[in-house]
Amino acid sequence: MEVWPKRIMDIWFTEKQSPNMKLSLRIKNILLNKTTEFQDILVVETEEYGKIMVLDGAIQITEKDEFCYHEMMAHIPICAHSHPRRVLIIGGGDGGVLRECLKHPFIEEAILVDIDSEVVQASRDYFPHVSSGMNDPRATILNMDALTFIREHKHEFDIVIVDSTDPVDFAAGLFQSPFYTDVFEALRSEGIMIAQTESPFAEASLLKQAYKEMEKVFPIVSLCWGAMPTYPTGFWTYTVGSKTVTPEEPRNPAPLDCKYYTSRIHSNSFVLPPFLEALIELK
Ligand code: SAM
């Protein structure tokens, strides 16, 4: 009699990162699969990266590598500023950037504006470590379109962090100069903004567009980069717009429990390889 091999679970999640590139992860468990008013949310447990959250087919966070991105997004602008007190996070409904901002004792208030309350709830339900900052009394969470919110707030924030989904549909405006003008006006006199600006290998034109649009508005614009394994190509960029201070040097110390960000990483992340300088036409 023929003996069949023991059945193993062999289910995979695949993110189509470009027409010619995919990332596949073997799944242990499907935890949440729903469609909200704004997007599809999928939470699955993977063998390689632990639990992951996927919005409209694109990986947003994984338990294993989220710190790389969240620490850079929060600590680069906060440590570059001489005395930041109020932070605005646009998007970022998973709470990872919020958690990092609140590691600084001098941050008095952090407001997170994500259009989709169900992303916030999914993070609370499945990613307690990532969403832990949501319970901090200094945190306020609002569910509305950040494009509307930012227009109604002038000279209120020291730091604005744009932690958005890819620039399509309701997130498209977050990569354009009218929005950066609103961010500029929402910032106080020494204000600094940072936005995730994609991979120079996967989305070179988007990165260049965001950088050039920010240059139309901010007197100082600077690009930095870091590792982010599960985002397309693993090479991620962040663009910083500043009203007065140069963002390359940290003025505040790194929180003690960082796993990616250090003061040396801060300065060194602004050192660009020549192909990146050429892309944003620095040289
Ligand atoms: N770090 C992630 C990445 O690059 O893949 C982004 C994480 S965070 C989950 C992105 C959030 O941006 C989503 O929860 C989405 O609802 C929110 N978002 C997109 N456009 C928005 C808008 N116009 N106003 C407020 N939130 C928005």
Side-chain angles (χ1 to χ4, degrees):
M1 196 178 84
E2 200 172 352
V3 180
W4 291 89
K6 193 174 162 220
R7 277 184 61 197
I8 55 160
M9 182 148 143
D10 195 22
I11 304 173
W12 292 71
F13 162 76
T14 296
E15 175 180 331
K16 192 174 171 190
Q17 298 188 328
S18 83
N20 305 306
M21 180 170 59
K22 292 176 177 177
L23 171 67
S24 288
L25 299 171
R26 191 196 296 275
I27 292 177
K28 270 188 190 171
N29 241 324
I30 299 172
L31 302 170
L32 178 72
N33 186 6
K34 72 188 294 188
T35 300
T36 74
E37 190 187 338
F38 301 100
Q39 54 211 338
D40 293 333
I41 306 184
L42 177 70
V43 178
V44 293
E45 196 175 358
T46 68
E47 295 283 354
E48 192 63 39
Y49 281 95
K51 280 185 264 177
I52 72 172
M53 186 194 287
V54 179
L55 296 180
D56 285 343
I59 295 173
Q60 306 291 306
I61 53 170
T62 86
E63 284 183 316
K64 192 171 177 180
D65 70 356
E66 54 86 14
F67 66 93
C68 304
Y69 173 87
H70 292 141
E71 290 183 16
M72 287 292 281
M73 287 284 275
H75 305 313
I76 290 278
I78 288 178
C79 294
H81 194 288
S82 65
H83 54 286
R85 298 288 177 267
R86 289 192 89 218
V87 179
L88 172 65
I89 300 161
I90 288 179
D94 51 77
V97 168
L98 178 69
R99 176 197 66 201
E100 291 303 317
C101 291
L102 295 172
K103 284 182 179 173
H104 296 276
F106 49 77
I107 295 299
E108 292 166 359
E109 189 179 10
I111 300 179
L112 184 156
V113 183
D114 195 295
I115 202 165
D116 195 342
S117 62
E118 302 211 43
V119 173
V120 175
Q121 193 56 49
S123 192
R124 283 188 186 276
D125 291 344
Y126 297 103
F127 298 89
H129 176 63
V130 178
S131 61
S132 56
M134 292 181 191
N135 299 323
D136 189 304
R138 295 171 293 163
T140 301
I141 297 171
L142 303 173
N143 295 123
M144 63 182 289
D145 189 342
L147 290 165
T148 308
F149 177 90
I150 194 94
R151 270 184 233 122
E152 293 162 1
H153 295 264
K154 308 285 179 204
H155 306 289
E156 287 187 27
F157 299 99
D158 302 302
I159 306 290
V160 174
I161 300 174
V162 186
D163 183 15
S164 65
T165 38
D166 294 339
V168 287
D169 299 334
F170 53 87
L174 300 175
F175 272 61
Q176 290 160 9
S177 63
F179 168 68
Y180 296 142
T181 302
D182 290 333
V183 172
F184 186 90
E185 289 173 3
L187 284 166
R188 290 171 174 160
S189 54
E190 195 195 305
I192 300 179
M193 78 163 282
I194 188 168
Q196 68 91 359
T197 44
E198 310 279 332
S199 158
F201 294 103
E203 295 282 5
S205 56
L206 213 50
L207 158 56
K208 184 172 176 180
Q209 175 199 319
Y211 188 90
K212 293 292 161 195
E213 293 287 286
M214 219 183 276
E215 266 189 331
K216 290 181 190 166
V217 176
F218 283 85
I220 300 164
V221 178
S222 217
L223 188 70
C224 61
W225 60 280
M228 187 51 203
T230 52
Y231 287 177
T233 79
F235 184 120
W236 212 247
T237 68
Y238 310 87
T239 302
V240 183
S242 172
K243 286 193 169 184
T244 55
V245 297
T246 51
E248 289 83 356
E249 292 312 316
R251 293 169 180 81
N252 295 300
L256 291 178
D257 57 351
C258 283
K259 292 192 287 179
Y260 186 93
Y261 177 88
T262 66
S263 297
R264 285 191 69 200
I265 290 270
H266 184 126
S267 312
N268 291 342
S269 69
F270 287 90
V271 179
L272 301 183
F275 83 94
L276 210 41
E277 288 186 333
L279 178 66
I280 55 170
E281 294 164 353
L282 270 186
K283 283 189 176 163

